[in-house]
Amino acid sequence: MRGRLQNDPEEVWIFGFGSIIYKQGFDYQRRVDGYIRGWRRVWYQGSTDHRGTEKLPGRTVTVVPDSEGTVWGSAFLLTGDLKQQKKHLEDLEHREKQYDGREYLDVYTSDSHPEPALCNVLTFVATSKSVNWLGPASLESVAQQIATAIGPSGPNHEYLDLLAKALWKAKVKEPELYELHDRVQQILKALDEAPNDRNAEQELVQQDAATQ
C-alpha cells in the first residue's frame, strides 16, 4: 500500500486503539494498521461494564490530546451496505457506551507519511466528562487496580495483556505500557491466586451482569 487510500465518503471506517485492535466484534472488509497524531494513549477511563464492576472498576485506555504524541492502532472498513453498516455502528455504540466522545481523525501509515492514509476516521474516546473517568494515577496504583479488577468480559489484566501483545507484535514503541504490563504480571505472581478461585469469581461477576 503506497500513499493515501481513496476512502469513499459513504464508507465507514473505525479506528481502534484498545480492545478493537484485537477483538473487533464486527464484520469488516479491510484493515489498515497505522497511527493518529496529536494524541497519547492513557489508562484514565474506568470500566464497570466490561473489565470491572461498580465496586471495583477496571481501567481501560483512552486517548488525550498531546501535540507531540502519536497512538498506534488499527482502522477497519465496515462491511455491508449502509443498513448493515448502521447496525455495526449501533453495536459499537453499545459496546463503547462509557466512552462519551466521538472524534473523526486522520490515520497515517509508514507508507503514507507525511500525508494521511485515511481521513475522518470515526474514533470512540473517553473524556474527563465521562461518568467513569478516573484520570491519572501512579503506575503502582494503576497496576494494582488492573491486577485485581474483574468484569463481565473477564479480568482487567487480560485486557492489558492482549493489548500489550498486539503492540509487541506490531513492534510499537510504548515503554510506559510495557512497564505497566510487567508490573501487573509481578503483582499477579505475588498474589499466587488459585486458578479455580479466580474462575469462580469471574463466573459470579458474569452471572450478576446477566441478571441486570
Side-chain angles (χ1 to χ4, degrees), residues 65-141:
D66 183 339
S67 60
E68 302 297 322
T70 60
V71 176
W72 182 89
S74 301
F76 299 91
L77 173 59
L78 298 184
T79 192
D81 56 24
L82 291 178
K83 183 178 180 180
Q84 291 171 314
Q85 290 180 353
K86 181 180 179 181
K87 178 61 168 61
H88 292 322
L89 284 174
E90 289 174 350
D91 293 341
L92 277 167
E93 287 287 350
H94 176 73
R95 170 178 171 174
E96 307 295 332
K97 61 183 179 293
Q98 294 189 349
Y99 283 65
D100 61 318
R102 306 290 179 266
E103 298 285 346
Y104 289 85
L105 306 175
D106 294 342
V107 178
Y108 298 80
T109 68
S110 57
D111 289 337
S112 74
H113 179 80
E115 297 297 323
L118 295 165
C119 296
N120 299 319
V121 178
L122 175 60
T123 310
F124 294 84
V125 304
T127 74
S128 59
K129 295 180 181 179
S130 167
V131 294
N132 279 339
W133 182 260
L134 298 177
S138 67
L139 183 142
E140 182 63 23
S141 176

Side-chain angles (χ1 to χ4, degrees), residues 172-187:
V172 177
K173 296 180 180 178
E174 199 156 330
E176 290 182 358
L177 187 144
Y178 301 140
E179 183 182 5
L180 175 62
H181 180 267
D182 289 345
R183 180 58 188 136
V184 168
Q185 293 303 309
Q186 292 171 358
I187 294 170

Side-chain angles (χ1 to χ4, degrees), residues 4-99:
R4 178 175 169 180
L5 297 173
Q6 298 300 315
N7 47 314
D8 189 316
E10 292 188 356
E11 295 177 340
V12 179
W13 286 83
I14 305 293
F15 181 77
F17 51 80
S19 62
I20 288 178
I21 295 174
Y22 60 81
K23 184 179 181 181
Q24 292 76 48
F26 53 82
D27 295 329
Y28 63 92
Q29 55 182 301
R30 189 168 188 179
R31 173 176 180 158
V32 175
D33 293 334
Y35 60 93
I36 55 175
R37 294 177 177 176
W39 299 82
R40 176 167 54 95
R41 187 173 4 234
V42 294
W43 293 84
Y44 292 178
Q45 175 67 356
S47 176
T48 61
D49 59 343
H50 290 298
R51 298 293 181 171
T53 63
E54 293 287 348
K55 292 182 179 179
L56 180 57
R59 277 187 181 257
T60 54
V61 291
T62 185
V63 292
V64 295
D66 183 339
S67 60
E68 302 297 322
T70 60
V71 176
W72 182 89
S74 301
F76 299 91
L77 173 59
L78 298 184
T79 192
D81 56 24
L82 291 178
K83 183 178 180 180
Q84 291 171 314
Q85 290 180 353
K86 181 180 179 181
K87 178 61 168 61
H88 292 322
L89 284 174
E90 289 174 350
D91 293 341
L92 277 167
E93 287 287 350
H94 176 73
R95 170 178 171 174
E96 307 295 332
K97 61 183 179 293
Q98 294 189 349
Y99 283 65

